[in-house]
mmCIF file of all heavy atoms in Angstrom:
data_model
loop_
_atom_site.group_PDB
_atom_site.id
_atom_site.type_symbol
_atom_site.label_atom_id
_atom_site.label_comp_id
_atom_site.label_asym_id
_atom_site.label_seq_id
_atom_site.Cartn_x
_atom_site.Cartn_y
_atom_site.Cartn_z
ATOM 1 N N ARG A 17 11.122 -35.852 -6.728
ATOM 2 C CA ARG A 17 12.447 -36.054 -6.147
ATOM 3 C C ARG A 17 12.917 -34.776 -5.429
ATOM 4 O O ARG A 17 13.424 -34.832 -4.310
ATOM 5 C CB ARG A 17 13.437 -36.453 -7.253
ATOM 6 C CG ARG A 17 14.808 -36.886 -6.720
ATOM 7 C CD ARG A 17 15.614 -37.627 -7.756
ATOM 8 N NE ARG A 17 15.886 -36.825 -8.934
ATOM 9 C CZ ARG A 17 15.342 -37.042 -10.140
ATOM 10 N NH1 ARG A 17 14.509 -38.061 -10.324
ATOM 11 N NH2 ARG A 17 15.648 -36.266 -11.172
ATOM 12 N N GLY A 25 14.650 -32.142 4.438
ATOM 13 C CA GLY A 25 15.530 -31.147 5.051
ATOM 14 C C GLY A 25 16.972 -31.312 4.620
ATOM 15 O O GLY A 25 17.443 -32.425 4.359
ATOM 16 N N LYS A 32 25.292 -14.487 7.159
ATOM 17 C CA LYS A 32 24.692 -13.260 7.690
ATOM 18 C C LYS A 32 25.733 -12.162 7.655
ATOM 19 O O LYS A 32 26.934 -12.423 7.744
ATOM 20 C CB LYS A 32 24.197 -13.464 9.128
ATOM 21 C CG LYS A 32 23.016 -14.413 9.241
ATOM 22 C CD LYS A 32 22.503 -14.497 10.658
ATOM 23 C CE LYS A 32 21.801 -13.228 11.069
ATOM 24 N NZ LYS A 32 21.202 -13.344 12.429
ATOM 25 N N TRP A 119 17.547 -27.681 -4.687
ATOM 26 C CA TRP A 119 16.768 -26.617 -4.039
ATOM 27 C C TRP A 119 16.392 -25.513 -5.019
ATOM 28 O O TRP A 119 15.256 -25.020 -5.000
ATOM 29 C CB TRP A 119 17.569 -26.038 -2.865
ATOM 30 C CG TRP A 119 17.363 -26.840 -1.613
ATOM 31 C CD1 TRP A 119 18.063 -27.938 -1.218
ATOM 32 C CD2 TRP A 119 16.385 -26.605 -0.605
ATOM 33 N NE1 TRP A 119 17.579 -28.418 -0.025
ATOM 34 C CE2 TRP A 119 16.544 -27.609 0.381
ATOM 35 C CE3 TRP A 119 15.390 -25.660 -0.427
ATOM 36 C CZ2 TRP A 119 15.740 -27.684 1.519
ATOM 37 C CZ3 TRP A 119 14.585 -25.725 0.706
ATOM 38 C CH2 TRP A 119 14.762 -26.729 1.656
ATOM 39 N N LEU A 429 1.753 16.379 -25.746
ATOM 40 C CA LEU A 429 2.536 15.215 -25.345
ATOM 41 C C LEU A 429 1.982 13.955 -25.990
ATOM 42 O O LEU A 429 0.765 13.843 -26.206
ATOM 43 C CB LEU A 429 2.512 15.066 -23.822
ATOM 44 C CG LEU A 429 3.335 16.082 -23.029
ATOM 45 C CD1 LEU A 429 2.990 15.995 -21.542
ATOM 46 C CD2 LEU A 429 4.822 15.839 -23.224
ATOM 47 N N PRO A 430 2.833 12.975 -26.286
ATOM 48 C CA PRO A 430 2.331 11.712 -26.861
ATOM 49 C C PRO A 430 1.526 10.926 -25.841
ATOM 50 O O PRO A 430 1.549 11.208 -24.644
ATOM 51 C CB PRO A 430 3.615 10.977 -27.246
ATOM 52 C CG PRO A 430 4.681 11.561 -26.380
ATOM 53 C CD PRO A 430 4.292 12.987 -26.143
ATOM 54 N N LYS A 444 17.858 16.908 -17.138
ATOM 55 C CA LYS A 444 18.127 18.253 -17.622
ATOM 56 C C LYS A 444 18.437 18.234 -19.124
ATOM 57 O O LYS A 444 18.971 17.251 -19.645
ATOM 58 C CB LYS A 444 19.314 18.850 -16.866
ATOM 59 C CG LYS A 444 19.021 19.143 -15.411
ATOM 60 C CD LYS A 444 18.047 20.287 -15.294
ATOM 61 C CE LYS A 444 17.763 20.625 -13.843
ATOM 62 N NZ LYS A 444 16.766 21.681 -13.724
ATOM 63 N N PHE A 513 7.049 4.169 12.198
ATOM 64 C CA PHE A 513 8.116 5.158 12.134
ATOM 65 C C PHE A 513 8.241 5.932 13.438
ATOM 66 O O PHE A 513 8.287 7.144 13.448
ATOM 67 C CB PHE A 513 7.881 6.112 10.963
ATOM 68 C CG PHE A 513 7.786 5.390 9.658
ATOM 69 C CD1 PHE A 513 6.598 5.330 8.965
ATOM 70 C CD2 PHE A 513 8.882 4.733 9.137
ATOM 71 C CE1 PHE A 513 6.515 4.654 7.774
ATOM 72 C CE2 PHE A 513 8.806 4.051 7.947
ATOM 73 C CZ PHE A 513 7.624 4.017 7.263
ATOM 74 N N ASP A 618 6.299 30.539 -20.645
ATOM 75 C CA ASP A 618 5.103 30.128 -21.374
ATOM 76 C C ASP A 618 5.281 30.430 -22.861
ATOM 77 O O ASP A 618 4.743 31.397 -23.393
ATOM 78 C CB ASP A 618 3.878 30.853 -20.809
ATOM 79 C CG ASP A 618 2.586 30.279 -21.376
ATOM 80 O OD1 ASP A 618 2.644 29.221 -22.026
ATOM 81 O OD2 ASP A 618 1.521 30.889 -21.167
ATOM 82 N N GLU A 842 -6.697 -6.556 3.173
ATOM 83 C CA GLU A 842 -5.407 -6.688 2.505
ATOM 84 C C GLU A 842 -4.379 -7.357 3.415
ATOM 85 O O GLU A 842 -4.207 -6.977 4.570
ATOM 86 C CB GLU A 842 -4.904 -5.296 2.107
ATOM 87 C CG GLU A 842 -3.800 -5.300 1.088
ATOM 88 C CD GLU A 842 -3.465 -3.901 0.631
ATOM 89 O OE1 GLU A 842 -2.656 -3.235 1.287
ATOM 90 O OE2 GLU A 842 -4.024 -3.457 -0.393
ATOM 91 N N LEU A 957 -12.941 15.678 22.463
ATOM 92 C CA LEU A 957 -12.923 14.726 21.356
ATOM 93 C C LEU A 957 -13.556 15.358 20.132
ATOM 94 O O LEU A 957 -14.651 15.888 20.190
ATOM 95 C CB LEU A 957 -13.715 13.476 21.746
ATOM 96 C CG LEU A 957 -13.691 12.322 20.759
ATOM 97 C CD1 LEU A 957 -12.300 11.726 20.742
ATOM 98 C CD2 LEU A 957 -14.701 11.277 21.161
#
Side-chain angles (χ1 to χ4, degrees):
R17 188 164 61 250
K32 292 184 71 176
W119 274 87
L429 287 168
K444 291 291 181 183
F513 302 112
D618 190 11
E842 196 174 86
L957 186 69

